[in-house]
Amino acid sequence: MSDYISWTPAEVCQWLDKNNLGEFSDVFMEHEIDGATLGVFTERMAERLVPIIKKQAIFMSLLEKLKTREAHRDPELRSSRKSKTRTLLLLSSKTLFPTHCQYIELLSSLITAYPCLKENFGSGYDALHESLKNKFKKERRPLVSDEEVARTRTKFAIPGSGRKRTSEVVQMQLNAVRTLAGNGPTATEQVCVEERKITEIVKTMAEEVKKVQPDMLFLQEQMLKTRQYRWTYISSHSTREILMEFPCLRLPEILLLEMKALHHTDVDKQVTSVMNKMAPMVLLRASHTSTIKRCLETIEDCQESAVKKGLQLETAILCLPSLFNEDASLLFTSEESGTCEVVTPQIFLSCCKEGVPLQYSLVKVTMDKEIIVEDCTDISLTLGVLFSTYFVFGVEYPKGLKKNSYIP
């Protein structure tokens, strides 16, 4: 069992047994968890399949060690085969001045190939990016006689950069006065250049979204560059126009990342954590409508403990409006409920079997009669996306939800 990515579900279960986690083998086998799935396994998946917190922590630790071990002994970078990662790393031997795009492409490729390197904050590679840039600076610093270094310093040197002495400060002030007097580009010229850059970035983002597997790290980087423009655009355009200009806002990952960048909150993780703790209390205290009763019956019929816990979490979320005596249609609706005129963000449960919300085939987020997110994996993730939509699109909460304590 050397390369875990190629493991079958049976081999994954053997690994669980070997590490005293065999009690979860049946659940993993039922969900067909193979090595490729382990490679992209998240905390969210662990919470569903390994509901015991202590065991969950042990499992995540073992999985991290497994990924790290495979990354260290992966022969890809040492092989003669020119993989994309190896080719990008060879750039460092070709130039002392990698471009920003080369840095991002390299780091994105590394994190994709080795998920264990991904950071738990920011873009996922901020510290690596800074370290890599500093490494190149350190290597260039003593090479004053190198032709490429000398030529680039002459071309791109920034007056006044580095430690400033008194004479340099005076010269910097004189240069500023000359610029105001007419030297250098005018304000109009600068705006035109900025607009052209923004247009190019927006076009590049739209092309990336069309791909089967868009590069989320790249899109996040571009979202940061267009943030000011996007806020201005959102404030003066309809939902449909916003989605046409920024189709990446249809991706749940981008909405959650943007929310995290705006408010330093991992909404998805927070919703899952809080609601897992609150679920028993919510189910006990909320008034049981006919819809909720059907959900509770579905939970009772479930025999698998891990799946049952997930159903309880989703039912508790659907119970929140009744717990606070609010209009449930402001939070969620389904095809069976008929036409709804709610224009604020709303969870839409599609193709519910026998009218039971938990037995949905598709869960969406809608707003202004437009589909924002086409397919979320579950209701708890959708709730995080719903919250993010309010903030990213600058939408005011409807009066019927304003006093709800579950709004972050």
Side-chain angles (χ1 to χ4, degrees):
M1 298 175 69
S2 56
D3 183 7
Y4 80 93
I5 294 296
S6 62
W7 287 356
T8 63
E11 289 175 315
V12 171
C13 291
Q14 289 178 27
W15 176 70
L16 290 173
D17 291 334
K18 182 180 177 181
N19 290 283
N20 299 319
L21 294 173
E23 61 196 278
F24 305 107
S25 296
D26 292 341
V27 180
F28 274 64
M29 184 64 75
E30 179 184 344
H31 288 82
E32 299 179 358
I33 306 298
D34 55 13
T37 308
L38 283 181
V40 294
F41 214 87
T42 64
E43 290 184 11
R44 177 180 207 78
M45 296 177 186
E47 289 169 357
R48 290 295 183 86
L49 301 183
V50 188
I52 302 173
I53 294 178
K54 182 178 180 180
K55 298 284 187 178
Q56 186 183 123
I58 295 172
F59 170 79
M60 291 305 294
S61 176
L62 289 169
L63 181 60
E64 191 66 27
K65 290 178 182 178
L66 182 65
K67 291 179 178 179
T68 304
R69 185 188 67 192
E70 292 297 328
H72 282 313
R73 71 184 186 184
D74 194 326
E76 181 178 306
L77 295 179
R78 298 190 295 272
S79 69
S80 57
R81 180 169 55 88
K82 289 188 176 181
S83 65
K84 181 179 179 183
T85 304
R86 183 171 179 269
T87 302
L88 286 167
L89 287 173
L90 287 173
L91 286 173
S92 61
S93 65
K94 302 298 183 183
T95 178
L96 288 167
F97 293 90
T99 65
H100 177 74
C101 291
Q102 287 174 333
Y103 278 127
I104 300 306
E105 188 179 4
L106 168 61
L107 295 170
S108 299
S109 179
L110 281 174
I111 290 175
T112 302
Y114 307 104
C116 59
L117 296 177
K118 187 174 181 180
E119 299 157 11
N120 296 323
F121 54 88
S123 63
Y125 55 77
D126 291 339
L128 284 172
H129 190 188
E130 192 63 29
S131 298
L132 197 55
K133 287 196 297 183
N134 289 335
K135 176 64 175 175
F136 272 96
K137 287 179 182 178
K138 184 178 179 180
E139 293 296 324
R140 290 194 301 260
R141 194 169 292 124
L143 303 178
V144 292
S145 60
D146 184 271
E147 183 179 347
E148 184 187 9
V149 174
R151 184 173 62 252
T152 307
R153 281 182 178 174
T154 302
K155 184 177 180 180
F156 296 105
I158 302 174
S161 62
R163 186 175 297 178
K164 295 178 176 60
R165 297 175 177 82
T166 305
S167 60
E168 291 176 325
V169 173
V170 173
Q171 187 62 45
M172 181 180 66
Q173 293 170 341
L174 288 173
N175 291 338
V177 172
R178 287 171 186 152
T179 300
L180 291 173
N183 294 333
T186 64
T188 303
E189 289 171 338
Q190 289 176 339
V191 169
C192 290
V193 171
E194 186 66 23
E195 287 180 351
R196 285 199 298 272
K197 288 182 179 179
I198 291 296
T199 302
E200 291 172 1
I201 293 173
V202 170
K203 183 178 179 181
T204 304
M205 293 169 67
E207 291 298 322
E208 184 66 30
V209 173
K210 293 178 183 178
K211 297 180 180 179
V212 178
Q213 292 185 329
D215 185 339
M216 295 301 166
L217 294 174
F218 171 79
L219 287 174
Q220 186 182 7
E221 190 80 21
Q222 306 314 304
M223 287 285 284
L224 180 61
K225 295 178 182 178
T226 60
R227 182 165 294 162
Q228 190 61 49
Y229 166 75
R230 191 172 61 258
W231 286 346
T232 304
Y233 191 93
I234 287 174
S235 65
S236 57
H237 290 77
S238 67
T239 300
R240 177 172 296 183
E241 291 170 332
I242 294 167
L243 293 173
M244 289 178 65
E245 182 76 358
F246 298 99
C248 60
L249 292 179
R250 292 184 183 274
L251 303 175
E253 299 91 343
I254 291 298
L255 287 169
L256 292 170
L257 286 170
E258 186 67 7
M259 179 66 172
K260 189 173 183 179
L262 289 172
H263 298 282
H264 308 290
T265 302
D266 188 335
V267 182
D268 180 32
K269 189 173 182 178
Q270 186 174 343
V271 166
T272 304
S273 174
V274 173
M275 290 307 302
N276 269 323
K277 296 176 182 177
M278 291 178 57
M281 182 273 291
V282 172
L283 294 177
L284 181 65
R285 297 187 180 184
S287 58
H288 292 171
T289 62
S290 58
T291 300
I292 299 303
K293 286 180 180 178
R294 288 199 292 270
C295 291
L296 293 174
E297 290 171 0
T298 302
I299 294 174
E300 288 297 324
D301 294 338
C302 181
Q303 302 300 319
E304 184 57 56
S305 59
V307 177
K308 192 170 186 175
K309 183 178 179 181
L311 293 175
Q312 289 174 335
L313 170 64
E314 294 193 330
T315 303
I317 291 173
L318 299 179
C319 283
L320 288 174
S322 62
L323 181 66
F324 294 97
N325 296 318
E326 300 290 357
D327 183 0
S329 68
L330 293 175
L331 181 65
F332 73 94
T333 188
S334 64
E335 290 177 344
E336 290 72 17
S337 301
T339 305
C340 184
E341 298 300 325
V342 174
V343 295
T344 51
Q346 183 185 45
I347 297 173
F348 185 85
L349 303 170
S350 181
C351 304
C352 298
K353 185 179 179 181
E354 299 178 358
V356 181
L358 291 183
Q359 298 183 22
Y360 55 85
S361 297
L362 206 62
V363 56
K364 312 174 185 178
V365 174
T366 62
M367 182 173 70
D368 287 338
K369 300 181 179 180
E370 294 285 338
I371 297 175
I372 305 297
V373 177
E374 179 71 34
D375 185 15
C376 291
T377 55
D378 54 55
I379 293 176
S380 59
L381 172 65
T382 310
L383 183 61
V385 172
L386 183 86
F387 290 152
S388 301
T389 303
Y390 273 102
F391 286 89
V392 174
F393 284 81
V395 180
E396 184 179 355
Y397 291 132
K399 292 181 180 179
L401 290 181
K402 278 191 173 180
K403 64 181 181 181
N404 279 349
S405 62
Y406 58 87
I407 297 293

